[in-house]
Amino acid sequence: LLMLALGLALLGLASSPVLAKNLGPLNVDGAGQQIYLVAPDWAVGNVQMQGSSGFSLNGGGRVYFAVKPNDDFGDPNMYWQTNLMEKHFSYTLDLSNVGCHCNAAGYFIDMPGPGAGDGGDWYCDANFVNSQWCPEYDTLESNKYTVAGTLHTCNGGNGYWTDCDRGGCQNNAFYVDSNMFCPEDRCTINTNKPFLVSHYQDGSQANIWMQQDGREASFDFCSDGGYCSKMAQSYGGMVFGASLWGGGGINMDWLDGMTGCWGECNIGGSSVKFSGFNIWK
């Protein structure tokens, strides 16, 4: 009986919803509804709210945008699934404390996945994280030395994906113009200071546009019309997430190796700030 009771207790723990934390309301102009910032319980200590206007990630962490202020991931419909087709999604970004080989990322994924997954939060992406596939739109992978964007399409449909293009369709600001984006005044965007970034996507392009102190820079990171058209099939409802990661021997040369920056990512001493979100057509 004791072993049976213990087994039932363990089964109950295993079937309980994974803990999340509602970190509070977040203003997203143009959303048409109240948005909340939620995080897995392991990441809560990395997140600091900036009132309702934004948030910072400190030393790592991951967050999602939600429409329900839940404190667990039991409801797969808790997330903000927004239509991105022919829309602009913008915010102010501060990368001044995100060094070489660290990655401050913003992305849309076709969540929720078909199941809660290993992590219990319904996460999915094009690299089979959480043991499930889904289309992924990396609007931003960045540090203060460069920024890249990537589209990842998948095979399948209706929420069930058999595999995805891990490499994706990508471009990097450094390849477009080595003086576009860096922690120096010579660059159009000096990443030692905050700047505005906007993402636009439709069936033929995906673009990153940035503005700072009256200067502007932009680049298309996928100009393959066929690829963009296939990706656009997922734009009807995707969930925004943000994370800060790197260090521990993770090779980030694919992101910033071309810039010549060097040194291990000090993830514990890194932080990024997102604020002033807006979505419009």
Side-chain angles (χ1 to χ4, degrees):
L1 287 176
L2 178 61
M3 293 302 294
L4 176 61
L6 180 60
L8 290 173
L10 291 172
L11 180 62
L13 287 172
S15 62
S16 298
V18 173
L19 292 179
K21 175 65 175 178
N22 164 38
L23 297 163
L26 183 70
N27 294 337
V28 180
D29 290 346
Q33 59 187 315
Q34 181 62 66
I35 305 302
Y36 300 91
L37 194 71
V38 299
D41 58 345
W42 60 263
V44 170
N46 300 108
V47 187
Q48 182 179 359
M49 293 296 292
Q50 309 291 323
S52 60
S53 65
F55 60 89
S56 63
L57 300 176
N58 308 285
R62 185 169 72 209
V63 294
Y64 307 111
F65 284 15
V67 293
K68 299 179 182 179
N70 294 358
D71 282 324
D72 66 62
F73 288 117
D75 181 3
N77 298 310
M78 66 183 285
Y79 298 106
W80 180 49
Q81 296 173 278
T82 188
N83 183 355
L84 295 172
M85 189 63 176
E86 299 179 350
K87 290 189 176 181
H88 302 266
F89 181 70
S90 67
Y91 46 89
T92 296
L93 185 65
D94 186 346
L95 293 172
S96 60
N97 199 36
V98 184
C100 188
H101 298 339
C102 297
N103 190 336
Y107 41 87
F108 285 96
I109 47 270
D110 202 8
M111 289 174 66
D118 296 340
D121 56 2
W122 306 90
Y123 181 83
C124 57
D125 67 17
N127 280 286
F128 206 57
V129 175
N130 207 24
S131 299
Q132 44 195 3
W133 301 105
C134 70
E136 176 182 353
Y137 171 16
D138 293 321
T139 53
L140 177 91
E141 293 192 272
S142 64
N143 54 45
K144 62 184 180 180
Y145 294 95
T146 195
V147 57
T150 313
L151 302 181
H152 300 271
T153 59
C154 301
N155 296 314
N158 299 317
Y160 294 92
W161 309 95
T162 56
D163 61 276
C164 300
D165 180 11
R166 291 175 183 261
C169 184
Q170 181 189 93
N171 202 0
N172 189 300
F174 189 88
Y175 291 140
V176 177
D177 178 0
S178 61
N179 292 312
M180 180 188 295
F181 189 94
C182 73
E184 300 177 35
D185 284 333
R186 66 176 173 84
C187 287
T188 306
I189 303 298
N190 181 345
T191 55
N192 283 323
K193 301 182 291 184
F195 60 95
L196 179 66
V197 59
S198 180
H199 309 283
Y200 177 81
Q201 55 288 315
D202 60 21
S204 62
Q205 66 171 318
N207 177 268
I208 295 175
W209 175 90
M210 298 169 286
Q211 183 185 64
Q212 182 187 65
D213 298 336
R215 300 185 303 273
E216 298 181 7
S218 72
F219 66 100
D220 287 348
F221 60 86
C222 186
S223 299
D224 181 328
Y227 204 100
C228 288
S229 179
K230 184 176 180 180
M231 186 72 209
Q233 297 172 21
S234 298
Y235 289 156
M238 301 190 84
V239 174
F240 184 72
S243 60
L244 177 63
W245 61 287
I250 295 173
N251 187 344
M252 212 74 73
D253 285 346
W254 61 268
L255 174 62
D256 59 20
M258 74 293 293
T259 71
C261 75
W262 58 276
E264 179 79 7
C265 168
N266 176 15
I267 191 66
S270 300
S271 62
V272 59
K273 296 179 181 178
F274 295 81
S275 62
F277 289 93
N278 195 358
I279 187 166
W280 80 97
K281 190 166 184 177

